[in-house]
Amino acid sequence: MTLLSTAARRACAAGLALAACLTVTPATALTTAADGGAPAPAGAGLDRYYHQRLDWRGCALGPDDQAGRDLEKAGARCADVTVPLDYAAPRGRTVTVAISRLAATDTRHRVGPLLLNGGGPGGPTLGDPPAIRAAMKEAGARYDVIGMDPRFVGRSTPLDCGWPVGSAFFSAGLSRGSFERQVTLQKDLADKCRATNASVLPYVSTRNTARDMDVVRGALGERKISYLGYSYGTYLGTVYTQMFPGRYDRVVLDGAIDPRRYHPRLMRGVEPENERALADWAAWAARRHDTYGLGRTRDEVLATADRVFEASARRPLTVGTAPEAFRLDDTQVPFVVFNGIADDSDEARSALGEQLSVLAEAAAGQPTRLSPAFAETLRFALTGEQSHYGSVQSAILCGDVAAPRDPERYWEDIGASRAEHRLLGSLTNNIGPCAFWDRPREEPTRVRRDAPVLIVAATGDPRTPYDGSVALRGLLPSSRLVTLEGANRHAVYGYYGNACVDAEVNAYLATGRLPAGDEVCVKPAG
């Protein structure tokens, strides 16, 4: 998940359908490494991009730009990198990719640049270098830590479809009628993107982002780059290793996606992991019934969540007071629950406890007040305040792999999951805008090259399940896997505070040597 607002960061993994046959265009000829060929040289019209001179400057865009000020306080500088919109037509239209650099301070032992991606897809990473530098401890001083807002994200050339919501990730609800309303909404979201950004949508893809990464490498004057990616960022990192072999050094992939399963319906199939995370949270909340009033046992808390879901299907729940009041129906309530179970820290669990308490009060017809954090989450999901985030996330997913187009396919999947996964199955199997998108221009990347990378994963990860990291480990025989047992957590290194995981990653970043074998860390009891 990403340095967006708190609400957007928590939603980053929420938006990720089965790959259909994709049409190959001439753009594929630029780098055929994914198909076993060699990467294209910097020539073929790309020299001016690889050899451009970067104009480093301050990062703050004005007195109210806190993220920019924080970067400057840490000593970072920022620049824009020019890249071609279409790598098959490098003399045509260009776009910019915004980067930040926190330069190495131990220049005698400098390793080189460490490029970051916090996930999403569609999450900005420009502001991440200070936090990552701190997590790296002594190793951090040896790297230029590079934040990069991928094309059309954050401070890069923007893309915004003018959506009335910040994410396309909603539930089908409990009825055929609510599903049909979702079909209408998702088609409208796709139509808005086509109407406002048709000229760039074909070029919003992971493969083009990987190409941009390599241009950044060249513009920095480096032979190789190191990389740290979370969630979707693990897929981007994997793609880079396949497209540009020999151009990467140390690579850490945290919360990995099985690249064979990457598609717009990536959340389909993760119901068991999320049900376990929800049940663990419910047990936690039951022990705090006096605080949240949701039930004294795990089953009572789960029953409360189900009652709230049913109540929202009968009549939308009104939460908050004017001027910030929201109405949530059964297509929206599951998002709140799903959003709250990606992290098993007490802070995250408390937030969901407070939010479900508010929804339970609304279901009982009582007036409610929203915390600033809950209001931010609802603004993100239910208003157009973060339209650009949902727009770019969908554009990347839909631009990478085609989704099934027949709404009945989704309705059948929803029905098949509903008996066992009543609350979450209608969310993870719901239709999205990719069902109405134009087909991708390139085939998805296939992993055909080994890569000696370090993979980090928690066994209870509810967003990119642990078996995805195990699968990637199998696809890359020279890789190593660091497993965190006992944690329902998405994104571990540097953010979760597990000393064992952090030490394993930092040792690799410091020495460049992978562990001799796979390693296991354990979440401390408590």
Side-chain angles (χ1 to χ4, degrees):
M1 334 230 286
T2 1
L3 274 190
L4 294 165
S5 65
T6 301
R9 174 185 285 278
R10 288 176 182 162
C12 277
L16 294 184
L18 264 177
C21 296
L22 305 180
T23 324
V24 181
T25 69
T28 312
L30 279 168
T31 57
T32 58
D35 300 319
L46 296 175
D47 280 345
R48 68 186 181 105
Y49 299 104
Y50 275 87
H51 300 147
Q52 64 188 286
R53 184 184 298 274
L54 299 182
D55 178 20
W56 294 102
R57 60 187 184 278
C59 297
L61 300 181
D64 298 327
D65 179 11
Q66 187 61 49
R69 290 169 58 192
D70 289 345
L71 280 167
E72 291 182 354
K73 184 177 180 180
R77 303 288 285 173
C78 290
D80 289 330
V81 181
T82 302
V83 298
L85 173 66
D86 179 2
Y87 276 83
R91 292 178 177 82
R93 180 177 172 182
T94 64
V95 295
T96 59
V97 170
I99 63 172
S100 61
R101 180 174 66 182
L102 195 54
T105 55
D106 184 359
T107 55
R108 183 178 177 182
H109 302 102
R110 179 179 178 273
V111 176
L114 176 71
L115 189 69
L116 310 177
N117 185 277
T125 312
L126 190 85
D128 287 16
I132 296 300
R133 166 68 63 80
M136 295 170 71
K137 301 190 184 306
E138 292 82 3
R142 302 176 58 194
Y143 287 86
D144 295 339
V145 186
I146 308 293
M148 170 178 156
D149 285 353
R151 54 173 51 204
F152 306 111
V153 172
R155 296 189 184 182
S156 299
T157 298
L159 185 154
D160 189 341
C161 300
W163 283 4
V165 292
S167 170
F169 195 60
F170 295 105
S171 171
L174 284 172
S175 69
R176 178 73 192 211
S178 58
F179 172 69
E180 292 296 345
R181 289 192 294 274
Q182 279 294 302
V183 173
T184 300
L185 170 65
Q186 302 294 344
K187 183 178 185 303
D188 182 61
L189 297 179
D191 289 345
K192 285 183 184 299
C193 281
R194 193 175 294 108
T196 57
N197 290 277
S199 64
V200 301
L201 290 181
Y203 312 104
V204 189
S205 69
T206 298
R207 286 177 65 83
N208 276 332
T209 300
R211 293 175 177 120
D212 294 345
M213 287 170 54
D214 203 57
V215 169
V216 169
R217 176 197 59 77
L220 292 173
E222 302 287 346
R223 188 172 63 88
K224 294 184 178 183
I225 55 172
S226 295
Y227 179 81
L228 168 62
Y230 296 88
S231 190
Y232 160 79
T234 68
Y235 178 70
L236 173 61
T238 301
V239 170
Y240 186 81
T241 68
Q242 301 303 298
M243 293 179 69
F244 298 99
R247 298 185 188 177
Y248 60 89
D249 186 4
R250 303 167 197 186
V251 175
V252 180
L253 306 178
D254 188 322
I257 295 171
D258 180 348
R260 297 166 301 186
R261 287 196 65 251
Y262 172 80
H263 46 68
R265 302 179 75 195
L266 193 56
M267 289 299 100
R268 181 171 180 259
V270 303
E271 296 86 6
E273 290 81 5
N274 281 276
E275 296 285 1
R276 285 195 293 271
L278 178 58
D280 288 351
W281 169 82
W284 179 94
R287 296 192 295 272
R288 294 158 178 81
H289 175 74
D290 291 344
T291 301
Y292 303 110
L294 297 172
R296 297 188 180 278
T297 68
R298 182 192 68 178
D299 289 347
E300 288 179 359
V301 174
L302 293 174
T304 298
D306 197 58
R307 285 197 300 272
V308 168
F309 187 32
E310 287 185 342
S312 68
R314 292 191 297 269
R315 183 182 66 253
L317 309 180
T318 300
V319 298
T321 56
E324 193 147 61
F326 302 89
R327 287 165 57 84
L328 287 80
D329 63 20
D330 56 333
T331 68
Q332 298 154 341
V333 165
F335 169 84
V336 175
V337 177
F338 186 88
N339 194 45
I341 56 176
D343 182 354
D344 62 4
S345 67
D346 282 348
E347 180 185 7
R349 285 178 162 176
S350 296
L352 181 56
E354 176 260 322
Q355 293 168 9
L356 194 57
S357 293
V358 169
L359 294 176
E361 291 170 357
Q366 301 173 12
T368 60
R369 298 183 62 182
L370 299 178
S371 68
F374 194 17
E376 183 184 24
T377 296
L378 296 179
R379 282 198 304 274
F380 168 81
L382 305 180
T383 76
E385 184 177 285
Q386 297 283 338
S387 164
H388 59 279
Y389 175 77
S391 301
V392 178
Q393 182 175 78
S394 291
I396 295 169
L397 290 165
C398 306
D400 281 344
V401 184
R405 307 189 74 82
D406 184 0
E408 290 305 314
R409 167 78 173 273
Y410 298 87
W411 181 245
E412 290 170 5
D413 291 341
I414 291 163
S417 70
R418 183 166 279 153
E420 191 173 357
H421 307 294
R422 175 176 157 83
L423 177 62
L424 298 178
S426 295
L427 180 79
T428 56
N429 290 277
N430 194 26
I431 196 168
C434 297
F436 308 100
W437 217 264
D438 294 341
R439 300 183 74 82
R441 292 171 62 91
E442 293 191 71
E443 291 186 0
T445 301
R446 294 176 176 84
V447 174
R448 295 178 175 173
R449 297 178 181 273
D450 193 8
V453 308
L454 185 65
I455 304 167
V456 178
T459 54
D461 188 334
R463 292 298 176 268
T464 54
Y466 179 68
D467 60 5
S469 291
V470 173
L472 184 60
R473 169 71 175 89
L475 289 172
L476 305 175
S478 296
S479 68
R480 294 293 182 268
L481 173 61
V482 177
T483 297
L484 176 60
E485 292 186 341
N488 299 326
R489 167 71 185 199
H490 183 61
V492 178
Y493 169 68
Y495 290 112
Y496 194 51
N498 185 273
C500 174
V501 169
D502 290 356
E504 290 285 353
V505 174
N506 286 337
Y508 168 60
L509 291 173
T511 65
R513 293 191 298 271
L514 289 166
D518 295 339
E519 300 288 342
V520 175
C521 297
V522 179
K523 177 187 176 182

